Amino acid sequence: MKVTIDPEADALYMRLSDKRIKDTEEVKPGIILDYDDKNNLVGIEILHVSKRVPAATLKSVLIESA
């Protein structure tokens, strides 16, 4: 998984797979999901992220695994 933040675009993108993106769906305003050719989730984009997530939260990422 790769997480990128583009401050100029005010967007956060979580790339979940290296599969090629075939389809994109905006499920809510500013929340965009990318899918591969088998309809598996490949990526999640959050637009206007600075208005949705506190700035301090964006400075670190915690990944928990069971």
Side-chain angles (χ1 to χ4, degrees):
M1 178 188 315
K2 182 178 180 182
V3 178
T4 56
I5 296 175
D6 182 339
E8 189 174 312
D10 196 19
L12 178 140
Y13 190 73
M14 290 179 281
R15 182 72 183 208
L16 307 172
S17 166
D18 290 334
K19 300 281 185 177
R20 186 175 184 178
I21 297 168
K22 182 173 187 237
D23 193 24
T24 299
E25 173 186 20
E26 187 169 17
V27 294
K28 287 182 127 182
I31 308 294
I32 301 161
L33 305 180
D34 293 330
Y35 300 94
D36 67 11
D37 61 347
K38 295 182 180 175
N39 210 33
N40 295 311
L41 188 61
V42 173
I44 303 167
E45 184 172 25
I46 303 172
L47 303 176
H48 313 292
V49 71
S50 67
K51 294 179 176 111
R52 299 171 185 261
V53 179
T57 303
L58 296 174
K59 291 184 181 188
S60 67
V61 175
L62 173 64
I63 298 176
E64 295 181 358
S65 180

